[in-house]
Amino acid sequence: MNFDQVNQRYGTYSMKWDGAQNVYQNPDVIPMWIADMDFQSPQPVIDAIKKQAATGIYGYTTEPNMTAIPQIIATWLQQQNHWTINPDNLGYSAGVVNGLGLAIRALTQKGDAIITQTPLYGHFKIAVENSKRQLISNPLIKKDGTYSFDWDNLEKQISDNQVKMAILCNPHNPTGRVWTSEELKRFAQICQQHQVIILSDDIHSDLILPGNTYQPLAKIYPEYQDHIITFKSPSKTFNLAGLQFAYYYTTNPDYQKQMQSAAAYASNPDFPTAFALPALTAAYQDSQDWLHELLAYLADNLQWLTEEIETQTPAQVTRSQATYLSWIDVSYLRCSEDELLTALDAGGIGVQTNREFGLDEQVGLFIRLNFATPRELLETGVIRLIKVLQQLEKD
């Protein structure tokens, strides 16, 4: 796979590129905001979609559990994570956020408190608040360029607010932390002590950068697995977000029934698109070599941008262990978040900052930059970013 190939994405109904014109003022902006990749999907996936398209019929798709999909997923989790699951315990949704929202509505009541860590993936906040639940924040601790849990505050917040559910992001978006087995066990033990249901968003779990190891929480802490729901998808890994397909796993049959009932009550079931199941099959069965090459390319991109930014500005790039999202601390700047966003937009670089991740300016200024793009585009974007930061430092 030639990851250096620059692909024209304007005019392809891309939210990241075409949608950027509705977010940024500069028509020349390089969009490095939304978490999808500027690389083509693996060739086996492209071939599978072409074959499906050639049928010329795009009617309703069968439910995944009526196909070989559950076993294909189980085999993938065994190969990738050495995690043995029962395929009968899988559930499906149009996306991980859809699944999280479904679990929130099915397993908690209006007004219940749900806790997560900040900085957070912005759609956690939307999913909780749109369901009329109360979002409780447990800020992560930043030290020596990485992030860790604030255990004392986590337990205090759970106790003080009578928290019913916790959302874990593993690996963490936007910081790129891959939680260790010890951290995951301690998190689960605290939740177990207070009978808190855990939703674990593991959508980035196949994007573990070389030298790091991911573990599913339900695998390493089976003592509480009946109160853990793990959410995954091939969408981030193989650049398939537009196909709208995700899955979740729980060993608790009551959770499954309640989520299925909530889905049926709310709307039609989340049937996958006509292209999602062939794409998943090709991704999980025939695209591992592509994934290995991708991870090496991403690691090189991250190393390059870190060296460029940190040698030319006082900014600190978080030592990401996973994902293709760089979390950059620019708290040394003496400007507001709005001023930072305006300058970045004018400089032609489309990124996201504090407010998208549940942070106010009192904790500092931060930028999330998507580096899953060909090196040529990455270099142009990072050069623009550095120029903006250098000018802001002078002002």
Side-chain angles (χ1 to χ4, degrees):
M1 173 70 185
N2 180 15
F3 292 103
D4 284 327
Q5 176 182 319
V6 177
N7 300 291
Q8 175 56 259
R9 297 193 66 188
Y10 282 122
T12 64
Y13 306 101
S14 165
M15 180 182 293
K16 182 180 180 182
W17 285 80
D18 296 317
Q21 304 306 309
N22 299 319
V23 178
Y24 304 101
Q25 299 298 313
N26 189 339
D28 188 41
V29 72
I30 295 179
M32 293 179 159
W33 57 311
I34 285 179
D36 73 11
M37 299 189 283
D38 293 324
F39 310 127
Q40 289 187 347
S41 294
Q43 192 60 48
V45 171
I46 296 171
D47 292 342
I49 291 174
K50 285 181 177 178
K51 181 179 178 181
Q52 184 73 3
T55 67
I57 301 174
Y58 314 117
Y60 291 113
T61 305
T62 186
E63 294 182 44
N65 60 8
M66 298 174 65
T67 71
I69 292 298
Q71 187 56 54
I72 291 171
I73 292 172
T75 300
W76 176 257
L77 296 181
Q78 180 63 47
Q79 292 173 346
Q80 290 292 108
N81 312 138
H82 306 290
W83 185 20
T84 302
I85 69 162
N86 180 349
D88 293 339
N89 292 333
L90 287 164
Y92 307 91
S93 61
V96 164
V97 173
N98 302 59
L100 291 170
L102 183 61
I104 289 168
R105 293 190 299 274
L107 305 177
T108 63
Q109 302 297 318
K110 289 182 179 180
D112 281 350
I114 299 175
I115 195 166
T116 191
Q117 324 307 312
T118 50
L120 53 72
Y121 171 51
H123 281 279
F124 291 171
K125 183 175 187 291
I126 294 170
V128 171
E129 294 183 349
N130 282 359
S131 300
K132 310 300 182 185
R133 274 64 169 173
Q134 180 186 5
L135 182 67
I136 305 298
S137 171
N138 179 44
L140 295 172
I141 298 172
K142 183 176 184 288
K143 184 179 180 181
D144 299 328
T146 189
Y147 285 80
S148 59
F149 285 98
D150 185 337
W151 298 114
D152 291 341
N153 191 57
L154 174 64
E155 190 149 19
K156 183 178 187 303
Q157 292 279 40
I158 289 176
S159 179
D160 289 352
N161 295 284
Q162 298 182 319
V163 167
K164 303 298 183 185
M165 178 177 280
I167 302 177
L168 176 70
C169 200
N170 180 32
H172 187 260
N173 171 17
T175 69
R177 260 306 310 273
V178 177
W179 306 117
T180 65
S181 296
E182 290 73 22
E183 288 171 317
L184 291 171
K185 287 178 182 178
R186 188 169 180 181
F187 183 87
Q189 286 166 350
I190 291 172
C191 290
Q192 182 179 28
Q193 180 182 346
H194 296 275
Q195 297 181 315
V196 174
I197 300 168
I198 301 173
L199 309 184
S200 188
D201 175 358
D202 294 23
I203 195 170
H204 293 278
S205 60
D206 292 322
L207 295 168
I208 308 301
L209 298 174
N212 301 286
T213 302
Y214 152 84
Q215 294 283 3
L217 175 58
K219 171 196 169 188
I220 65 161
Y221 198 70
E223 296 93 329
Y224 200 56
Q225 65 176 342
D226 281 353
H227 301 282
I228 299 169
I229 308 175
T230 305
F231 297 83
K232 287 176 173 272
S233 173
S235 61
K236 300 297 183 190
T237 312
F238 298 101
N239 217 20
L240 305 175
L243 299 188
Q244 298 286 288
F245 182 75
Y247 54 92
Y248 56 89
Y249 183 79
T250 178
T251 55
N252 190 319
D254 289 335
Y255 288 0
Q256 283 278 13
K257 290 177 183 176
Q258 287 173 270
M259 290 177 69
Q260 290 167 3
S261 295
Y265 176 80
S267 62
N268 289 328
D270 272 342
F271 290 121
T273 69
F275 303 102
L277 302 188
L280 177 142
T281 301
Y284 280 4
Q285 291 188 331
D286 302 312
S287 303
Q288 271 196 319
D289 289 345
W290 179 93
L291 178 55
H292 292 152
E293 293 176 20
L294 170 70
L295 293 175
Y297 193 89
L298 293 176
D300 287 345
N301 270 2
L302 178 59
Q303 181 179 352
W304 179 84
L305 77 84
T306 300
E307 291 174 355
E308 291 297 312
I309 292 171
E310 292 192 341
T311 56
Q312 298 186 57
T313 77
Q316 296 179 331
V317 180
T318 301
R319 299 304 183 251
S320 180
Q321 299 168 317
T323 80
Y324 45 73
L325 305 167
S326 180
W327 186 242
I328 306 168
D329 187 342
V330 294
S331 300
Y332 67 94
L333 293 174
R334 297 185 299 275
C335 66
S336 69
E337 182 179 2
D338 285 337
E339 290 169 335
L340 174 61
L341 280 168
T342 298
L344 290 167
D345 191 340
I349 178 72
V351 291
Q352 293 175 310
T353 56
N354 289 43
R355 66 188 56 157
E356 300 291 338
F357 308 99
L359 299 180
D360 59 36
E361 295 178 37
Q362 293 179 346
V363 302
L365 279 177
F366 295 87
I367 294 170
R368 193 188 78 168
L369 181 148
N370 180 343
F371 57 87
T373 196
R375 179 63 64 87
E376 178 184 334
L377 281 177
L378 180 65
E379 289 180 357
T380 302
V382 169
I383 289 170
R384 291 182 180 185
L385 172 64
I386 290 171
K387 286 181 178 178
V388 170
L389 296 180
Q390 290 174 338
Q391 185 59 50
L392 286 171
E393 189 181 5
K394 293 177 184 177
D395 294 345

